[in-house]
Amino acid sequence: MVGNKEKAPKTYVTDLLTGILNRNVLKNVTHVENVKLADDGRSIVILDQSALPNRTEYLTLQTLPEFYDAIFTLKVRGAPCIGIFAGYAMSVLARQIAGELELSGAVSSEKWRSFINRLSELGGELNSSRPTAVNLSYAIKRMLAKAESLVAENQSSAESLLNELQREATAIHEEDIEMCRKIAEAGLTLIKDGDGILTHCNAGPLATSRYGTALGPILLGKERGLKFHVFADETRPLLQGARLTSYELSKAGVDVTLICDNMASIVMKSGKVQACFVGCDRVAANGDAANKIGTSGVAILAKHYGIPFYVLGPSSTIDMATATGADIVIEERDPDEIKNKFYAEPMALPEVKCYNPAFDVTDHELITAIVTEKGVIRPPYKEAFTRLFK
Ligand code: MRU
């Protein structure tokens, strides 16, 4: 083969080597430690997403006000990441409550009742930090249910109950890693080498664990030597697309182009986009999907240009208790995020009114498929979800 300019045929070995090499390059992105429980189980270390891409700062948090603030100010953000964080937060809070109530060894049933009541009260406060993503309430409810069942079994010492709760929080995290991997695999079946993909907001490793949801197929494909071109909407007003998606993809060596939100139409019209991939914060029983503000506009454009629009997320994001998108509570945030936050000077007069919804709902008719760890789900969603959860 020396001097032969033709490409050597791809073999199993070259594929394997490419995979190993790419995985190592990607590891800095896919294995980012965005949320980590401290070794003693008494605090949580987070990568402050509000400081990215300019500063990589880690914060150690241990009190309810700190946990609340981290979620409210988007230091921890992205639906699955918020869920993982909330699981650990409940475990840390349980240890604090046990300390306050001086629980140790065998505990009386009255003391256990006080423990559960207090944990439920603090969980309720944490849950009020952001209303839209189902993952927050899912993790809090799951941790509370676990605590209640351990107490009901009536065989736990304080220490073993706290350790069991910590294990439950770790399980939420580990399940997310597994689910993201499966979502990435399923999503990868929908695109091919060389495709252009448009994404909105950030649903990568920072927002989840490992591969992410909407960015999962792109990162997994990259690991396997596939090349995609990604258009990342900047995602006004908090710029998760600019600050986080373009940061993650460019660090991973993926060909990414940042565009303003109002440029999606021209890019789609040019034929450079073969699919749209977005994450989700809550999917209603009829398939309506809440995601970052601006997502539904992207879906409408995609329909106009005949481009498939995919929503990717763990099946735990499907909320069968919410009938339609109209029942999803949409978080409204401070007008300051529109007028001041990222500008050297205010961009509007102080008296100008602002409307700042953080999410919108994409109607199920606009969604080509919903990709979960259980595979690619196509309409009609109501029937498909019913089968899924049977
Ligand atoms: O306000 P954010 O940054 O938490 O919003 C994030 C999104 O809308 C994401 O697309 C969604 O949470 C899915 S993350 C896998």
Side-chain angles (χ1 to χ4, degrees):
M1 293 293 276
V2 181
N4 184 347
K5 291 227 173 69
E6 268 176 39
K7 260 196 189 163
K10 270 199 160 193
T11 64
Y12 173 73
V13 179
T14 52
D15 277 356
L16 195 73
L17 289 176
T18 313
I20 293 170
L21 204 72
N22 288 345
R23 202 168 306 136
N24 283 336
V25 172
L26 286 175
K27 244 185 167 174
N28 286 337
V29 175
T30 54
H31 287 56
V32 64
E33 292 208 308
N34 47 355
V35 177
K36 190 176 183 292
L37 186 68
D39 289 341
D40 63 4
R42 292 183 182 279
S43 58
I44 310 170
V45 182
I46 61 158
L47 171 58
D48 180 356
Q49 296 194 44
S50 67
L52 288 170
N54 299 313
R55 296 179 308 284
T56 303
E57 290 173 356
Y58 291 89
L59 306 172
T60 301
L61 313 173
Q62 43 198 357
T63 64
L64 178 64
E66 287 173 345
F67 298 153
Y68 184 100
D69 174 78
I71 297 176
F72 185 71
T73 59
L74 275 60
K75 293 182 175 78
V76 162
R77 56 148 294 283
C81 179
I82 293 171
I84 293 163
F85 177 76
Y88 286 136
M90 290 295 279
S91 173
V92 172
L93 292 171
R95 287 193 189 280
Q96 284 168 17
I97 297 166
E100 283 160 20
L101 297 175
E102 297 177 349
L103 306 186
S104 70
V107 175
S108 69
S109 50
E110 297 87 85
K111 279 216 165 182
W112 274 137
R113 208 24 49 219
S114 312
F115 169 83
I116 294 290
N117 287 344
R118 185 79 181 125
L119 190 61
S120 159
E121 192 185 318
L122 299 192
E125 278 181 46
L126 189 64
N127 194 33
S128 65
S129 54
R130 292 191 82 188
T132 306
V134 71
N135 313 59
L136 177 60
S137 57
Y138 166 82
I140 292 170
K141 275 188 209 149
R142 179 165 158 178
M143 293 296 287
L144 269 176
K146 182 74 187 176
E148 274 168 8
S149 79
L150 289 167
V151 167
E153 282 169 20
N154 202 19
Q155 42 176 275
S156 294
S157 69
E159 202 44 45
S160 77
L161 179 133
L162 295 172
N163 290 341
E164 280 293 324
L165 273 184
Q166 184 171 321
R167 268 193 283 279
E168 189 72 5
T170 308
I172 294 175
H173 196 168
E174 282 167 357
E175 285 163 22
D176 193 64
I177 293 174
E178 184 67 22
M179 286 191 291
C180 284
R181 172 80 196 195
K182 288 183 174 159
I183 291 167
E185 286 283 2
L188 195 50
T189 65
L190 301 169
I191 46 178
K192 56 178 195 324
D193 198 17
D195 274 355
I197 293 145
L198 187 136
T199 189
H200 191 76
C201 194
N202 172 263
L206 285 164
T208 61
S209 39
R210 301 286 157 88
Y211 292 82
T213 54
L215 298 191
I218 296 157
L219 292 172
L220 188 64
K222 169 78 187 169
E223 201 173 280
R224 294 184 180 160
L226 303 178
K227 290 191 175 67
F228 302 114
H229 185 98
V230 180
F231 292 94
D233 280 355
E234 64 172 349
T235 317
R236 287 268 296 145
L238 291 181
L239 306 175
Q240 290 92 332
R243 294 189 302 104
L244 308 173
T245 297
S246 72
Y247 163 88
E248 285 184 314
L249 292 178
S250 101
K251 282 216 172 279
V254 173
D255 183 8
V256 57
T257 302
L258 178 63
I259 57 172
C260 298
D261 299 332
N262 53 6
M263 297 167 190
S265 176
I266 194 170
V267 173
M268 287 188 192
K269 195 172 188 175
S270 71
K272 290 179 185 154
V273 178
Q274 280 65 51
C276 298
F277 279 180
V278 299
C280 49
D281 288 80
R282 192 181 296 253
V283 178
N286 69 343
D288 291 349
N291 191 50
K292 179 52 53 194
I293 188 71
T295 304
S296 67
V298 174
I300 292 165
L301 287 175
K303 178 121 185 160
H304 179 76
Y305 291 115
I307 297 167
F309 182 89
Y310 300 111
V311 171
L312 298 89
S315 60
S316 52
T317 312
I318 302 168
D319 180 6
M320 294 303 276
T322 297
T324 73
D327 304 307
I328 298 176
V329 178
I330 300 293
E331 176 187 4
E332 253 190 71
R333 297 185 62 88
D334 192 336
D336 182 72
E337 292 177 348
I338 297 179
K339 292 199 272 191
N340 297 317
K341 191 169 171 71
F342 291 106
Y343 298 112
E345 289 183 78
M347 280 302 118
L349 293 172
E351 62 269 31
V352 170
K353 278 189 287 177
C354 279
Y355 172 50
N356 186 15
F359 299 92
D360 62 20
V361 173
T362 300
D363 297 336
H364 61 274
E365 290 96 346
L366 299 170
I367 302 173
T368 311
I370 297 176
V371 183
T372 76
E373 77 283 2
K374 295 176 197 288
V376 178
I377 303 168
R378 299 206 181 251
Y381 294 115
K382 213 172 185 169
E383 290 76 357
F385 293 165
T386 308
R387 280 196 303 276
L388 193 75
F389 293 118
K390 214 194 262 173

